[in-house]
Amino acid sequence: LSTHYNLANNPDILLSRAEALYTQCRFHEALELTSAILSSPDSGAALTGSSNSSNQVQNLGHSPSVYPLHLACLYETGSTNALFLLAHTLADNAPDESYTYLAIGTYYLSVAKIAEARRFFSKASLLDPHSAPAWIGFAHTFAAEGEHDQAIAAYSTAARLFQGSHLPQLFLGMQHLALNNMSLAHEYLCAAYAMSSGSPSGSLAAIPSTRDGGLPPLGGDPLVLNELGVVLYHQNNLEAAADLFRQALALAASLQCDPAAWVATRANLGHALRRMNRFEEALAEFDECVRISSGGSASGY
């Protein structure tokens, strides 16, 4: 599409590339693409025109699907000033749109004003009940305050409304892990793995436990594998936990993820090896954590 049909600058293709970069934790590169989409003259970025609200929304000229990813990139890169400016711009020009309140909620979440963020995420979900980012953000506000039961209720609603996404299942598993409900955490995380990798629903056999291949045969989300490894670690199943940590790191590397985003997983692997008395291997993993965290990663994250 980019070369044969000269669509390299098409906003839809740029958005797809940005989504791929975001899943690889390459947030700065993804932000460059989403910013290019929003500033493109072809998509009518100029905020001019009349006092008519519908005309002003039309003059924004961007697909609503651009904003959740752009907001997520701004949040991950700590661009609170840009979030503040964008939220004000949208509030002035698109006051009736769900993504406007999503932007305001994201800004308040970035400055740790959780109650205000919850209020605006709730408003966004009321304006657009089918907005998955609004529901996930709403649930995140409870998780940020340690309100695990309310977070579980909100994530459960998101899981019911958005059955094609593995993220609500992943977050439910993480909440149960925080509550030390290991069996429930394992169940939700296995469901998240099945959804993210495309394996049959409820098929626990799809999660490999061998080291020879290095990668899960069906791919999936490395974060799910990491969380499953944490569950097994707490259940003293250290060998299987170390295998899952290795597979998470190998999968992240195959997806060209930024190494700095997976330092915690590497540290988890080091702790599992340490508890198995494999001290030399554990020391090598911890050394790698220090090297990456101190700015030695190739990507300069």
Side-chain angles (χ1 to χ4, degrees):
L1 290 173
S2 298
T3 57
H4 190 71
Y5 295 99
N6 293 324
L7 292 174
N9 295 319
N10 179 274
D12 291 328
I13 292 180
L14 290 177
L15 181 60
S16 296
R17 287 179 179 166
E19 289 173 346
L21 290 170
Y22 183 82
T23 61
Q24 296 168 0
C25 302
R26 294 157 68 180
F27 304 120
H28 290 278
E29 296 172 63
L31 179 59
E32 289 178 7
L33 288 180
T34 57
S35 299
I37 296 171
L38 292 176
S39 62
S40 170
D42 295 335
S43 33
L47 298 175
T48 61
S50 70
S51 59
N52 183 283
S53 177
S54 62
N55 286 339
Q56 286 178 336
V57 174
Q58 190 174 9
N59 284 335
L60 287 173
H62 309 300
S63 169
S65 61
V66 176
Y67 288 103
L69 181 62
H70 185 64
L71 293 169
C73 291
L74 289 173
Y75 177 84
E76 293 290 351
T77 56
S79 305
T80 54
N81 290 337
L83 270 172
F84 180 82
L85 179 61
L86 178 58
H88 263 280
T89 302
L90 292 175
D92 290 340
N93 294 276
D96 299 323
E97 295 295 330
S98 171
Y99 53 77
T100 297
Y101 297 94
L102 180 67
I104 299 171
T106 305
Y107 167 73
Y108 278 122
L109 189 63
S110 70
V111 295
K113 293 186 176 180
I114 305 302
E116 290 85 348
R118 182 179 303 133
R119 186 167 70 252
F120 285 103
F121 284 136
S122 178
K123 176 72 171 178
S125 65
L126 287 173
L127 287 174
D128 182 8
H130 301 289
S131 173
W135 275 102
I136 295 294
F138 181 67
H140 281 344
T141 61
F142 290 114
E145 291 184 331
E147 299 286 349
H148 299 298
D149 292 337
Q150 291 171 291
I152 287 171
Y155 286 132
S156 297
T157 301
R160 186 173 69 252
L161 292 175
F162 314 108
Q163 298 182 14
S165 172
H166 74 286
L167 293 177
Q169 304 288 341
L170 168 61
F171 296 137
L172 281 166
M174 293 169 75
Q175 288 301 304
H176 283 293
L177 179 58
L179 290 170
N180 207 31
N181 297 331
M182 294 303 165
S183 59
L184 278 173
H186 190 267
E187 182 179 339
Y188 279 114
L189 291 170
C190 286
Y193 178 82
M195 295 176 70
S196 69
S197 63
S199 58
S201 178
S203 174
L204 303 186
I207 301 174
S209 58
T210 58
R211 277 189 240 162
D212 51 358
L215 282 177
L218 297 174
D221 187 342
L223 182 57
V224 179
L225 293 174
N226 174 74
E227 297 301 315
L228 275 167
V230 173
V231 171
L232 295 177
Y233 178 90
H234 285 295
Q235 293 175 335
N236 290 319
N237 193 349
L238 300 176
E239 191 68 43
D243 285 339
L244 285 176
F245 293 141
R246 285 195 184 91
Q247 290 173 33
L249 291 168
L251 180 56
S254 74
L255 294 172
Q256 298 180 339
C257 295
D258 194 305
W262 300 96
V263 169
T265 301
R266 192 170 295 279
N268 290 341
L269 173 59
H271 283 298
L273 293 169
R274 175 184 58 80
R275 287 186 58 190
M276 289 189 289
N277 296 326
R278 291 156 64 174
F279 300 117
E280 292 297 329
E281 296 175 65
L283 185 60
E285 298 298 337
F286 290 135
D287 280 340
E288 185 70 6
C289 290
V290 173
R291 185 189 68 81
I292 295 173
S293 299
S294 62
S297 62
S299 59
Y301 180 78

